[in-house]
Amino acid sequence: MSKMTDHFARVRKNCVMVVRRQYDIYTKPRKWDKYEPVSTLELLSGVEFPHSDYRNDVHNYLDPILSSNSPHKLPWRLRASLQAVRDEPGLITLRVAERSCLGAIERSAGGDEPMLRETLKLVEDASERIAVWLAAVGCQRAAARCAGLCLEYWRERNITTYPDIITYGLMRSMIDYIGASTNKTNARKVEYIPESRHFQLALTEGALRGLVHILGVVQEGIEAGPHDKHDPDEDEAPLPPVDLADLSQLDDDRAGIVRDPPKPKAPATRELERAVIAAPPPVAPGLVVVWD
């Protein structure tokens, strides 16, 4: 083992130990703190909505923005759409508000309706917050956007050292949002039911383990370089075993064996088959000499 490899092994061991010492942070629901506002980044990484209901977060987030004491001057169309969300949060009002945020950002960048820098940051964050709410009610497009946001924020973090809960949570949420973006259920026809974000993310454990295994094995092989048959230190890797146990779990009857069972044979046909099987094997003919 080279010095560099040994160094990385020690660093990895230390990081694993830090995670084990904070075990509950990585394995228990990440509750919201009623005394501290929850950031959009924290929600994207898996922090729970207040009482697991996004509608509670709507009021906690929008009330200060729409207050008469707010220092931010919002365009009137955007303000009206956010008020509609606060008054009646739902799929339609959320989609309208998200489009209003994105439109206000575009108009500000074009100089039509310029906003102060801090207000612009607020509107950008609001558009992302609304996407999180939309994903919670089953909007596929919003789930795809949230997956992209998780990846974007993950790239901005230091991923070569200790994996803090935010960095780890962003990857878990990204996998979950990708899966939600492929859900064919019509969000308009499904009633919203508050659900713990922790339990939603727990369903991604299998996919995460598979992803880590595949990427880790292949990356390790690439970094090790091509196999040298003449290197005595490298043993010939055996072929992976074939596990046939899973075949019994297959429900897909592609051959039609169950759908089209064989037809019963006639009695005469069965008797003929038994006679053929019971008959002695034929004897090869002897040598025959033919004279001219």
Side-chain angles (χ1 to χ4, degrees):
M1 182 180 293
S2 65
K3 292 183 179 181
M4 185 63 68
T5 304
D6 185 54
H7 170 72
F8 282 121
R10 288 197 304 270
V11 171
R12 179 182 177 87
K13 184 178 180 180
N14 291 338
C15 290
V16 172
M17 183 56 65
V18 172
V19 172
R20 294 180 62 190
R21 288 173 179 170
Q22 304 181 39
Y23 189 79
D24 288 350
I25 295 179
Y26 292 87
T27 58
K28 299 292 181 64
R30 296 163 59 199
K31 299 292 186 179
W32 62 284
D33 187 350
K34 61 181 179 181
Y35 299 107
E36 292 291 337
V38 178
S39 68
T40 302
L41 174 62
E42 289 175 314
L43 284 180
L44 283 169
S45 70
V47 170
E48 301 282 347
F49 289 127
H51 305 294
S52 300
D53 193 326
Y54 86 94
R55 291 168 293 196
N56 295 325
D57 187 60
V58 167
H59 290 283
N60 291 347
Y61 184 80
L62 290 183
D63 284 348
I65 295 176
L66 299 175
S67 170
S68 58
N69 297 326
S70 174
H72 302 286
K73 182 176 178 59
L74 300 175
W76 68 269
R77 283 172 291 192
L78 173 58
R79 186 178 184 85
S81 65
L82 295 179
Q83 287 175 337
V85 169
R86 184 186 61 178
D87 297 340
E88 190 176 352
L91 181 66
I92 302 302
T93 55
L94 287 171
R95 283 179 172 173
V96 172
E98 184 187 30
R99 287 196 295 268
S100 296
C101 287
L102 296 176
I105 294 171
E106 184 177 353
R107 289 191 297 273
S108 178
D112 298 329
E113 286 183 333
M115 291 183 286
L116 296 177
R117 180 178 301 177
E118 293 301 319
T119 302
L120 180 60
K121 288 182 179 179
L122 174 72
V123 175
E124 290 173 344
D125 184 75
S127 73
E128 296 176 1
R129 190 75 157 224
I130 294 172
V132 176
W133 297 337
L134 275 169
V137 299
C139 177
Q140 295 173 258
R141 182 194 52 75
R145 186 186 177 198
C146 287
L149 288 172
C150 287
L151 180 60
E152 180 181 344
Y153 284 120
W154 178 78
R155 285 173 172 170
E156 295 176 357
R157 304 184 73 81
N158 190 343
I159 60 175
T160 60
T161 57
Y162 161 64
D164 63 275
I165 186 59
I166 296 293
T167 306
Y168 171 68
L170 286 172
M171 285 291 93
R172 292 184 74 198
S173 287
M174 185 187 72
I175 298 298
D176 177 70
Y177 281 133
I178 290 175
S181 69
T182 63
N183 188 1
K184 302 302 181 183
T185 304
N186 189 340
R188 295 188 180 186
K189 299 181 180 180
V190 178
E191 181 182 359
Y192 171 71
I193 300 176
E195 186 178 20
S196 168
R197 184 67 178 145
H198 174 74
F199 293 138
Q200 292 175 344
L201 294 177
L203 299 177
T204 66
E205 289 299 326
L208 277 175
R209 288 179 181 275
L211 182 65
V212 170
H213 170 72
I214 295 297
L215 294 180
V217 169
V218 174
Q219 191 64 30
E220 183 178 348
I222 292 174
E223 292 177 355
H227 175 64
D228 186 0
K229 296 181 179 180
H230 303 290
D231 189 347
D233 295 333
E234 293 189 8
D235 296 329
E236 188 69 27
L239 292 175
V242 179
D243 187 3
L244 300 181
D246 293 337
L247 294 180
S248 62
Q249 306 299 325
L250 293 178
D251 295 327
D252 189 8
D253 181 27
R254 292 189 177 92
I257 298 173
V258 177
R259 293 193 301 270
D260 302 318
K263 298 180 180 179
K265 297 180 180 179
T269 304
R270 289 198 298 267
E271 293 298 330
L272 179 59
E273 288 180 347
R274 292 195 189 101
V276 171
I277 295 173
V283 180
L287 179 62
V288 179
V289 180
V290 179
W291 299 86
D292 291 331

